[in-house]
Amino acid sequence: MSKTTLTGAQILWDCLVREGVNVVFGYPGGAILPAYDAMLDYPIRHILVRHEQGATHMADGYARATGKVGVAIATSGPGATNMVTGIATAMMDSSPIVCITGQVGSALIGSDAFQETDITGITLPITKHNFLVTRADEVAPAIREAFAVAASGRPGPVLVDITKDAQLGLCAFDWEGAAPDMIGLARPGHSSGVDAVGLINAAERPLILAGHGIMLGEAEAALRALAEKAQIPIAMTLLGIGGFPASHPLNLGMMGMHGEAWVNTAIQESDLLIALGMRFDDRVTGNLKTYAPNARKIHVDIDPAELNKNVRVDAAVSGDLRAVLNQWLPVVTEVDRTRWLAHISDLKGDSAVRDIQNLPDDGHLYAAHVINDIWRMTNGNAVVVTDVGQHQMWEAQYYHHNTPRSLITSGGLGTMGFALPAAIGAKVGRPDAEVWVVVGDGGFQMTMPELATLVQEELDVKIAIINNGYLGMVRQWQEFFYQRRYAATPITGPDFKKLGEAFGIWSATVTTRKEVADVVTRARSERGALIDFRVEQEDTVYPMVPAGADLHKMIRRPSPIAETATD
Amino acid sequence: MQTFAVYVDNKPGVLNRVASLFRRRAFNIESLTVGHTEIAGLSRMTIVVNTDERGGRLVEANLYKLIPVRRVDNITRVPTIGRDLAMIKIAATGDARTQVMQLVDVYRSRIVDVSPESLVIETTGTEDKIDSLLEVLRPYGVIEMVRTGRVEMARGSIAQPPISAPRRSAAAADDGRDDVGNCSV
Ligand SMILES: Cc1ncc(C[n+]2csc(CCOP(=O)(O)OP(=O)(O)O)c2C)c(N)n1
């Protein structure tokens, strides 16, 4: 095969195009200029961000919405360090992104040259792998391997730092010769402990805990088949939402710190937990010593390092989730579990009266109402990208997701500022989807310059600012655990309607519940919209398991009926 | 204690990746040695970690997440030969010098440097043996000591899956050319 001679910069784009990339999110600068110059000759859409953190969240949102690898690009030094938060976010949530950074010339490395920073050193613990490329002929192998590593097994971020001379240098481009060595990228699955299927068939009160791995492993159908055949109810982690339809009778809802009370109680009462593609984060287990005390435990994860990490299990299976479930399916028996299911419905009963939806209308605008209305008006079909805080938990509770990859949220790192840029990435990846941002007034102000990106790229994203004038989630902790001493949590902001309009986005302010429907309808008909929902300021997310408390010891919303009864 | 033989691509930055992993996961390294193997481009680390069996499994699984790591053998429960090498500089003149030389003989160690004021003793063996030699030498005045840390190898010919040589030659390699080793995650 004849090999063409290209610059490292050309090889970079050639490889990206061959990897299936047609859009990158980035910001130029000196050390990455050769790559930017070469980009013009390739069929690549470049989305100019307003801060490199935005580029990484966009690549991440793109990856989560599509399942494809997202690409972010930045210059050396400050460009690269601005990416750190986004890389860590992608790492915690197993999102496949490739970050490309320019680096000073290889002769200058180590000299504290202008805009030199050791970005491979900085990102070592927050990437799945990273590369320092100092020669043009190393570009192709590094890029190919970066994509293979990012997307294989448990996905994650990979950074490729390319020196300026490597971008400028000429070499023979050999795509085939740069194929990554795939040995070990698919290590064989492994199981230890007792037989998982035996445990499932014998269980009387089993519960499936479904995590992000359901979607990452494309195991949605296998999960449904298993649950339906064996009549096992499913509890979702925050990132698992969408992996199993919310409307399905076996879907109990979210578990954990702000999970449904009946879900947490069911976990504590179950005799078998079947954890699928989740990692027993402290936000879902509460106190480990009292976690599901009577349950045997099965854990399936593609990452063997997750098994027996936080929770000791009886059966540990490492491997591809879909393959494992499909193996179980024929040998799992159909068992009548109506008693267990009926018991869980009973547990739900008392929660219903406490639900904010059932509180008498006191004229206030509640975030839960807003989110629930958006859910109804979008027929549950929107891709919702949330930020971090109270609104994030209300979204998980009151927007009922039926399809995979329809809730995009920063779970592991809990990165405020994630929503707007991640939504831009999601919209770019899925232009036909109706994309909504649900964001707090605090988090929105962290990355709101990306509104300009939205407008420059003519993207249709709807933004619902849940504006409570507080860093709400932190205020809630202060309310419960710091005697309402609201240190640094009251927050002001601009007039968001005027702000949106200044960017050229149709905008509105909503202060009462009766306006919600009209404004949401109007927003849906606009190309891009921003709504400032002025909600109840000191509202609280219930239930809540205080950090480190026993999972069943939830702080519950005071029941209005119980109160009336004692009156 | 858990002991691992870890085969890694011989690339710049690999030691840093391993060290960073142990730091990040709060695994306590007791000792770590690294050197070339019989396969070009492949290095072998002997890592002793202060943890239990369950911790050992997590260490192994986490090591496999590093791309340049090709194979991890937990050799804690395997019969092995373990050796540490030490050089000990002793201030010894006159009578003391003779006594030290006798002790060195008893411990089957060697004197590798002699100066008017001091001796350098080289010793290999298990850590216990070296510790005990050190104890008996201490009264004479230890000026300086250096130890390699433990290297360990399984006894007999336990069949292990072969490790392929790195795809690209180690000489020309740097971090930009890391091979994909054992990486499922
Ligand atoms: C970058 C970052 N800084 C700080 C925090 C801590 N934090 C978690 S939630 C929260 C408050 C968020 O307030 P807001 O965006 O207004 O949303 P709300 O909770 O009011 O819905 C803060 C400060 C964080 N998660 N991320």
Side-chain angles (χ1 to χ4, degrees):
Chain A
M1 206 203 103
S2 73
K3 297 172 189 167
T4 29
T5 299
L6 298 176
T7 65
Q10 291 171 316
I11 292 172
L12 166 67
W13 296 111
D14 211 309
C15 287
L16 290 177
V17 170
R18 287 170 193 254
E19 291 288 355
V21 174
N22 53 27
V23 59
V24 301
F25 306 91
Y27 207 89
I32 194 74
L33 258 180
Y36 267 89
D37 183 62
M39 179 180 75
L40 291 181
D41 302 324
Y42 289 84
I44 293 278
R45 174 179 182 193
H46 180 272
I47 293 188
L48 180 68
V49 302
R50 295 302 182 269
H51 186 292
E52 291 85 350
Q53 179 186 351
T56 49
H57 291 327
M58 288 179 207
D60 187 348
Y62 176 92
R64 295 191 206 211
T66 62
K68 294 192 282 188
V69 176
V71 180
I73 178 164
T75 192
S76 66
T81 53
N82 273 350
M83 289 180 138
V84 167
T85 300
I87 293 172
T89 304
M91 184 72 174
M92 284 292 261
D93 287 349
S94 310
S95 187
I97 65 172
V98 168
C99 296
I100 293 156
T101 48
Q103 180 57 281
V104 301
S106 55
L108 292 172
I109 285 185
S111 72
D112 302 320
F114 178 64
Q115 294 195 331
E116 181 192 357
T117 197
D118 174 16
I119 196 63
T120 47
I122 289 170
T123 58
L124 193 127
I126 52 166
T127 49
K128 205 172 150 185
H129 194 53
N130 62 24
F131 300 85
L132 172 62
V133 173
T134 57
R135 293 196 332 228
D137 64 350
E138 296 166 353
V139 172
I143 294 295
R144 291 200 67 175
E145 192 173 325
F147 275 79
V149 170
S152 65
R154 178 176 179 175
V158 179
L159 179 132
V160 187
D161 194 27
I162 310 177
T163 60
K164 202 163 179 181
D165 50 322
Q167 297 169 48
L168 292 167
L170 282 164
C171 81
F173 175 43
D174 179 7
W175 169 257
E176 279 82 20
D181 173 356
M182 297 300 283
I183 302 173
L185 274 179
R187 269 207 297 157
H190 180 78
S191 49
S192 62
V194 301
D195 170 43
V197 175
L199 289 178
I200 295 173
N201 291 341
E204 286 175 9
R205 301 185 307 281
L207 200 57
I208 291 172
L209 310 178
H212 197 191
I214 300 293
M215 277 164 287
L216 293 173
E218 295 175 357
E220 299 92 346
L223 171 69
R224 184 175 183 147
L226 175 77
E228 287 177 351
K229 181 174 183 190
Q231 285 299 298
I232 304 176
I234 302 184
M236 317 298 293
T237 70
L238 176 62
L239 290 192
I241 288 175
F244 187 63
S247 57
H248 195 289
L250 287 171
N251 190 333
L252 303 183
M254 186 169 72
M255 66 181 98
M257 182 175 274
H258 294 294
E260 309 294 356
W262 64 86
V263 178
N264 289 341
T265 308
I267 288 173
Q268 295 301 78
E269 292 183 1
S270 75
D271 68 352
L272 177 69
L273 293 181
I274 307 161
L276 305 177
M278 56 83 76
R279 58 187 176 84
F280 290 111
D281 183 87
D282 53 276
R283 285 292 189 266
V284 307
T285 61
N287 183 359
L288 282 172
K289 290 204 183 72
T290 56
Y291 181 65
N294 305 315
R296 313 284 304 269
K297 293 168 190 93
I298 300 170
H299 192 181
V300 187
D301 202 283
I302 196 159
D303 181 356
E306 290 299 342
L307 305 174
N308 286 307
K309 183 180 83 173
N310 297 339
V311 168
R312 294 209 191 194
V313 298
D314 301 276
V317 184
S318 68
D320 177 69
L321 187 55
R322 185 171 49 178
V324 171
L325 295 185
N326 284 333
Q327 238 173 41
W328 287 358
L329 208 52
V331 268
V332 162
T333 50
E334 293 172 33
V335 180
D336 176 21
R337 296 200 163 99
T338 26
R339 272 188 57 192
W340 171 228
L341 293 170
H343 175 66
I344 296 174
S345 319
D346 287 348
L347 293 176
K348 270 189 198 175
D350 108 278
S351 301
V353 295
R354 296 172 191 256
D355 190 340
I356 195 166
Q357 297 292 324
N358 296 327
L359 297 184
D361 190 351
D362 56 4
H364 293 252
L365 183 62
Y366 288 100
H369 289 152
V370 171
I371 290 162
N372 207 241
D373 286 352
I374 294 175
W375 166 69
R376 276 193 287 102
M377 306 197 60
T378 56
N379 305 310
N381 289 327
V383 171
V384 184
V385 186
T386 82
D387 215 70
V388 173
Q390 292 184 310
H391 65 277
Q392 177 187 33
M393 295 299 116
W394 281 314
E395 201 288 344
Q397 293 174 345
Y398 292 101
Y399 197 107
H400 307 290
H401 292 269
N402 285 331
T403 51
R405 301 184 183 278
S406 63
L407 169 59
I408 294 174
T409 190
S410 167
L413 201 66
T415 308
M416 283 172 72
F418 174 82
L420 176 59
I424 292 174
K427 183 68 188 179
V428 168
R430 281 170 54 191
D432 297 335
E434 177 174 351
V435 176
W436 276 80
V437 171
V438 172
V439 62
D441 48 323
F444 182 69
Q445 291 186 70
M446 283 202 171
T447 51
M448 67 187 179
E450 301 300 348
L451 285 175
T453 309
L454 200 65
V455 173
Q456 183 168 354
E457 293 298 327
E458 299 179 4
L459 294 167
D460 177 6
V461 171
K462 325 289 186 195
I463 301 162
I465 302 174
I466 307 299
N467 183 356
N468 54 11
Y470 279 104
L471 299 175
M473 187 56 94
V474 178
R475 186 208 58 75
Q476 173 168 343
W477 284 52
Q478 291 169 331
E479 176 188 331
F480 284 159
F481 314 117
Y482 294 87
Q483 298 83 41
R484 289 181 179 259
R485 286 155 57 88
Y486 292 160
T489 43
I491 184 171
T492 63
D495 179 332
F496 289 115
K497 177 173 184 290
K498 281 189 188 157
L499 179 86
E501 284 165 356
F503 280 95
I505 298 170
W506 180 85
S507 304
T509 306
V510 173
T511 52
T512 59
R513 185 161 191 201
K514 54 183 190 299
E515 297 166 83
V516 175
D518 281 353
V519 171
V520 170
T521 306
R522 174 77 193 273
R524 295 188 73 211
S525 70
E526 294 287 336
R527 179 191 191 85
L530 183 155
I531 311 167
D532 177 5
F533 289 102
R534 304 268 176 89
V535 297
E536 175 63 26
Q537 293 208 306
E538 293 193 43
D539 196 4
T540 309
V541 182
Y542 289 108
M544 177 179 191
V545 183
D550 303 344
L551 192 58
H552 54 280
K553 294 196 177 141
M554 288 159 279
I555 304 174
R556 304 288 302 275
R557 180 182 292 280
S559 158
I561 290 178
E563 270 167 27
T564 346
T566 52
D567 271 352
Chain B
M1 288 305 164
Q2 297 278 309
T3 308
F4 301 89
V6 183
Y7 296 87
V8 300
D9 292 342
N10 179 11
K11 304 260 170 75
V14 169
L15 184 59
N16 193 11
R17 287 178 197 280
V18 173
S20 167
L21 166 70
F22 280 82
R23 179 187 51 78
R24 179 161 95 79
R25 297 280 178 196
F27 297 133
N28 209 343
I29 300 184
E30 198 66 24
S31 87
L32 187 157
T33 60
V34 57
H36 295 292
T37 62
E38 70 286 2
I39 301 168
L42 205 66
S43 295
R44 172 175 164 141
M45 297 178 176
T46 304
I47 309 178
V48 183
V49 189
N50 192 348
T51 185
D52 57 9
E53 215 175 299
R54 173 167 163 269
R57 276 196 298 273
L58 285 177
V59 169
E60 180 177 337
N62 275 288
L63 280 168
Y64 271 120
K65 292 171 72 148
L66 301 179
I67 307 295
V69 168
R70 303 204 141 240
R71 200 177 82 201
V72 181
D73 297 337
N74 186 335
I75 53 175
T76 313
R77 297 191 166 279
V78 176
T80 57
I81 314 154
R83 290 289 182 272
D84 196 351
L85 181 146
M87 290 192 283
I88 309 167
K89 190 179 285 176
I90 301 290
T93 52
D95 272 1
R97 188 172 278 236
T98 332
Q99 291 167 12
V100 166
M101 286 164 81
Q102 282 172 356
L103 286 171
V104 166
D105 257 5
V106 172
Y107 278 85
R108 302 219 177 107
S109 305
R110 302 196 293 152
I111 293 173
V112 289
D113 184 62
V114 182
S115 77
E117 303 294 318
S118 67
L119 298 172
V120 176
I121 297 156
E122 175 201 303
T123 184
T124 52
T126 60
E127 285 143 319
D128 285 354
K129 171 187 152 183
I130 294 175
D131 289 346
S132 125
L133 173 61
L134 190 62
E135 272 326 293
V136 300
L137 289 175
R138 230 182 252 289
Y140 298 94
V142 175
I143 300 171
E144 194 182 340
M145 180 185 73
V146 59
R147 288 171 77 152
T148 57
R150 192 194 322 173
V151 294
E152 203 158 316
M153 180 180 271
R155 290 177 182 274
S157 52
I158 303 172
Q160 294 282 13
I163 305 173
S164 58
R167 178 161 46 91
R168 297 180 200 92
S169 82
D174 70 9
D175 256 16
R177 319 183 120 205
D178 275 3
D179 270 43
V180 180
N182 289 306
C183 157
S184 77
V185 290

